[in-house]
């Protein structure tokens, strides 16, 4: 009797399992005729508005190309490169992937993962400067970037009005703004001193404005050392501002996010960061009146910008033609409008609207420099990155463990001048 | 009424593989020696998992440390150049030395905080059994929190502008005591071991408690009769007999402190905080291997750091066990 019961139970279980599998198979087969024939995956680092922008672009593209489906995924900036590289090494990478261009794109070109796009993407709308991040060795390996990134100084318009301050046009006016705010118990500059890039952004913002001649001399080859008094004094400005009380109290323990909150809470008057943070600053506090200005130079303000590259196509993709077709679509003026609408960024193409008033202020500049060039963000000797050396040592300087001369001396010792001059001259 | 017959000799024969009894023969075959295939079949699944998920990754890491590799391109074999670079390069050698020194500092402080605390808690829980259950729960609770949760809580607590600590001090009129807790090296290098100890003390307490419970009460009773006070009983009788759990706890504390990554990374940052005071082998590995989104990464060099960390952890923990075991042998 017991064995009979076991047999019956086993039979019921087998029938149940079989029917579930059959039903699943039926579901799959009944849907298969409606599914697109070609599926693409697209990966990016998470930035504000990017998901919405590309999902709208994908919807438009797939309406026009019903045989294609594209799945867009974004990952936190800190993890994105690791996730992407792991997938590419395992040959399971996406068909389309984002890089920041320049030497970051070069890594994927050297590994054979980024497909050559020269002659396959219509770049007629873009000038040579905006295509530079998408090129390696003079050839196109990424779609043109449609947003420009600008380093700028965000300021609180209400606080400026309250203390009768205007946007500074000279360095002396900037220090007057700082002194006035400090005298009224408002931190002049919100500083996330616990994180390294909080110091990097001001340095790159003020550099081309205060010592444009130095960067010109370096690019022309007239000067080939970082141990130049101009560059050292520029770095020392960061420490000087701390000593003058231009940062909020206890800035050393504040993360960048905390500095942003201080600015949003109107406890600080200014914040040095990039245009990519504009939406992140203003969206949570829409009533905050935010403006932006390029840092005042010796004779005029100097803007610092760069263009990210657009997406690259995976050279090993089974649907490379569809991937390149989408990249062409994403490089159009219509696509640029959609991207700017969601990201609230600064368009590369003139005539593309949607930029905020603050960003219009930030780009109201006659003279520009490129922040990848001034950051010396390229490989040094023995595969050491110079900016990496600076970032590893800047907190040591503020902790009093080394001087800027020590730190810049270390950078200078590993600076591969040949690579720099080959790229930028 | 039937009485079951217990033959201790039969039981002993069954338990002795050199002289198997009938039931042993039935289980393991009719030969004098047990069937080795049965042993292998029991350990094979676990062994395979160990090989695939532990040994092979360790071997792969060791091989990667002998290459120059950015994580996606071609691996170029460079021998021991990565290790030489870590030991003598003016950029990397100071960072490695600093990470090792910080690790040893965390070990020393964690040990100094956790060991006496764990012994005290275990002793008190054992002594006051009724309320001990509640304290066991409270003490073990941080253990179940993730390192990330602990770090985020610490950030919210110690933030100089929005953190609870400074806000409470200001509300109490003690603004002069507010500090940049996470921005000053002298505070940050105390906060990290404190967090490690708070989170990690649960397991040593459990180990020592179970060791305490295994000590025969007759020893304590005999000492009491002989006139020994509580402290003397603890020092002369209990403490030496806690040697096994103290050895295990020491190893766990050492490994936890020298291998820490999450808390320094989140509370400091990947550069080790102000002056690199909480830079560890883990954050050094992360910084070199994964760096920043914009800079080239050096997986080969990073895995060399990981190999050094592995050797430091393995060699010292083996030494701790050997030294402690020899002491345990003396006591027994």
């Amino acid at each position: 009797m017991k064995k009979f019961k076991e047999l019956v139970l086993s039979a019921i279980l087998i029938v149940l399992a079989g029917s579930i599998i059959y039903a699943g198979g039926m579901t799959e087969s009944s849907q298969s005729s409606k599914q697109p024939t070609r599926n693409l995956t697209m990966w990016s680092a998470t930035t504000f508005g990017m998901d919405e922008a590309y999902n709208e672009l994908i919807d438009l593209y797939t309406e026009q190309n019903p045989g294609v489906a594209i799945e867009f995924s974004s990952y936190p900036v800190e993890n994105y490169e690791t996730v992407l590289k792991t997938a590419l090494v395992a040959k399971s990478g996406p068909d389309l992937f984002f890089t920041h261009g320049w030497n970051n794109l070069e890594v994927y070109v050297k590994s054979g993962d980024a497909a050559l796009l020269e002659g396959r993407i219509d770049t007629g709308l873009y000038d040579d400067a905006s295509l530079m991040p998408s090129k390696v060795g003079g050839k196109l390996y990424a779609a043109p970037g449609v947003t420009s990134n600008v380093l700028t100084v965000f300021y609180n318009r209400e606080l400026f009005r309250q203390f009768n301050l205007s946007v500074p046009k000279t360095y002396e006016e900037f220090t007057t703004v700082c002194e006035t705010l400090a005298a009224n118990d408002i931190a002049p500059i919100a500083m996330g001193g616990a994180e390294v890039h909080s110091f990097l952004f001001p340095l790159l913002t003020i550099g081309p404005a205060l010592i444009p001649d130095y960067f010109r001399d370096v690019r022309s080859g007239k000067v080939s050392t970082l141990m130049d008094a101009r560059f050292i004094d520029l770095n020392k400005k960061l420490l000087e501002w701390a000593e003058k009380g231009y940062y909020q109290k206890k800035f050393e323990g504040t993360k960048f996010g905390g500095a942003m909150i201080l600015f949003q809470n109107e406890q600080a008057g200014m914040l040095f960061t990039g245009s990519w943070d504009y939406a992140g600053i203003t969206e949570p506090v829409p009533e905050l009146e935010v403006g932006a200005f390029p840092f005042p130079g010796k004779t005029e303000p100097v803007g610092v910008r760069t263009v990210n590259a657009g997406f690259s196509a995976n050279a090993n993709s089974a649907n490379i033609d569809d991937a390149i077709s989408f990249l062409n679509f994403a490089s159009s003026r219509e696509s640029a409008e959609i991207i700017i609408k969601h990201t609230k960024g600064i368009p590369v193409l003139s005539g593309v609207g949607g930029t905020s008033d603050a960003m219009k202020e930030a780009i109201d500049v006659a003279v520009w420099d490129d922040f990848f060039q001034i950051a010396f963000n390229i490989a040094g000797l023995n595969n050491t990155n110079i900016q990496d050396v600076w970032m590893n040592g800047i907190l040591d300087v503020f902790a009093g463990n080394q001087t800027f001369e020590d730190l810049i001396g270390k950078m200078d010792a590993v600076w591969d001048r040949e690579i720099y001059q080959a790229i930028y001259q | 009424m039937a009485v079951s017959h217990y033959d201790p000799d039969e039981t002993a024969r069954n338990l002795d593989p050199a002289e198997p009894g009938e039931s042993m023969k039935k289980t393991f075959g009719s030969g004098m020696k047990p069937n080795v295939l049965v042993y292998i079949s029991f350990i094979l699944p676990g062994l395979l998992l160990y090989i695939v998920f532990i040994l092979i990754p360790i071997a792969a890491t060791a091989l990667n440390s002998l290459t120059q590799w950015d994580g996606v391109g071609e691996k170029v074999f460079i021998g021991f150049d990565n290790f030489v670079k870590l030991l003598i390069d003016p950029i990397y050698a100071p960072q490695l030395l600093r990470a090792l020194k910080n690790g040893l500092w965390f070990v020393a402080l964690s040990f100094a905080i956790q060991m006496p605390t764990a012994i005290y808690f275990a002793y008190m829980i054992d002594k006051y059994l009724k309320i001990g259950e509640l304290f066991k729960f409270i003490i073990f609770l941080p253990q179940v929190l993730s390192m990330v949760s602990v770090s985020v809580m610490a950030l919210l607590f110690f933030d100089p502008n929005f953190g609870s600590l400074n806000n409470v001090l200001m509300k109490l009129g003690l603004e002069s005591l507010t500090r940049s807790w996470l921005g000053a090296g002298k505070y940050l290098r105390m906060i990290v071991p404190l967090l490690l100890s708070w989170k990690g003390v649960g397991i040593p307490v459990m180990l020592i408690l179970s060791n305490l419970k295994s000590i025969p009460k007759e020893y304590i009773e005999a000492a009491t009769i002989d006139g020994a006070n509580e402290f003397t009983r603890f020092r002369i009788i209990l403490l030496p007999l806690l040697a096994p759990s103290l050895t295990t706890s020491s190893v766990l504390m050492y490994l936890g402190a020298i291998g820490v990554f999450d808390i320094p990374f989140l509370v400091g940052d990947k550069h080790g905080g102000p002056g690199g005071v909480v830079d560890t082998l883990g954050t050094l590995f992360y910084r070199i291997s994964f760096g920043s989104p914009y800079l080239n990464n050096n997986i080969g060099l990073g895995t060399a750091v990981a190999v050094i960390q592995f050797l430091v952890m393995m060699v010292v923990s083996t030494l701790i066990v050997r030294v402690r075991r020899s002491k345990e042998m003396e006591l027994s």
Side-chain angles (χ1 to χ4, degrees), chain B residues 251-273:
Chain B
V251 172
L252 289 174
M253 283 176 206
Y254 169 73
L255 293 175
I258 203 79
V260 70
F261 165 73
D262 322 59
I263 293 178
F265 178 76
L266 289 164
V267 172
D269 76 345
K270 64 174 174 256
H271 298 278

Side-chain angles (χ1 to χ4, degrees), chain B residues 84-119:
Chain B
V84 171
K85 193 171 189 173
L86 286 170
L87 292 172
I88 66 172
D89 185 278
I91 302 289
Y92 291 106
Q95 292 181 58
L96 179 69
L97 188 62
R98 181 177 69 190
L100 283 167
K101 277 162 68 173
N102 288 341
L104 290 174
W105 166 253
F106 292 159
V107 168
L109 215 58
S110 296
F111 197 86
I113 298 171
Q114 280 190 68
M115 193 59 89
T117 309
I119 293 171

Side-chain angles (χ1 to χ4, degrees), chain B residues 68-89:
Chain B
Q68 184 168 302
W69 186 42
D70 59 11
V72 72
E74 191 191 342
K75 289 183 196 180
V76 177
F77 180 76
I78 56 172
F80 290 100
D81 283 3
N82 285 327
F83 293 95
V84 171
K85 193 171 189 173
L86 286 170
L87 292 172
I88 66 172
D89 185 278

Side-chain angles (χ1 to χ4, degrees), chain A residues 77-79 81-82 85-86 88-89 100 103-104 107-108 110-111 113 194-196 248-255 258-259 261-262 265 267 308 372 377 379 381-385 387-389 391-392 395-396 399 401 410-411 414, chain B residues 68-74 85 89-92 94-95 98 155 158-162 166 175 178-184 265-277 286-288 290-298:
Chain A
V77 170
E78 300 76 28
N79 305 334
E81 289 281 329
T82 308
K85 284 179 178 176
T86 307
L88 289 171
V89 166
H100 291 97
N103 56 328
N104 189 242
V107 168
Y108 300 101
K110 282 184 176 172
S111 67
D113 291 300
E195 289 187 272
V196 167
Q248 80 276 7
K249 290 178 190 170
K250 304 183 184 63
F251 72 93
E252 307 93 332
T254 308
K255 300 281 186 182
I261 292 173
L262 281 173
N265 286 352
Q267 292 168 271
N308 275 338
F372 269 97
N377 183 20
L381 299 168
N382 299 321
N383 209 35
T384 304
N385 188 293
Q387 184 179 306
D388 207 16
V389 175
M391 289 173 81
N392 280 334
L395 294 183
D396 269 353
N401 297 340
K410 288 176 189 171
M411 291 166 67
V414 296
Chain B
Q68 184 168 302
W69 186 42
D70 59 11
V72 72
E74 191 191 342
K85 193 171 189 173
D89 185 278
I91 302 289
Y92 291 106
Q95 292 181 58
R98 181 177 69 190
L155 284 172
F158 289 110
D159 185 280
N161 303 297
F162 312 111
N166 277 355
E175 190 168 348
T178 60
R179 295 285 183 274
S180 179
W181 302 107
L182 302 178
F265 178 76
L266 289 164
V267 172
D269 76 345
K270 64 174 174 256
H271 298 278
V277 293
Y286 180 91
R287 189 161 71 245
I288 294 173
F290 307 115
S292 109
Y294 310 100
L295 306 176
N296 295 339
N297 300 317
N298 195 337

Side-chain angles (χ1 to χ4, degrees), chain B residues 234-244 328 331:
Chain B
F234 178 82
R235 189 172 59 88
I236 303 295
I237 296 172
L238 291 178
L239 201 53
L241 291 173
L242 288 175
E328 286 171 36
L331 288 166

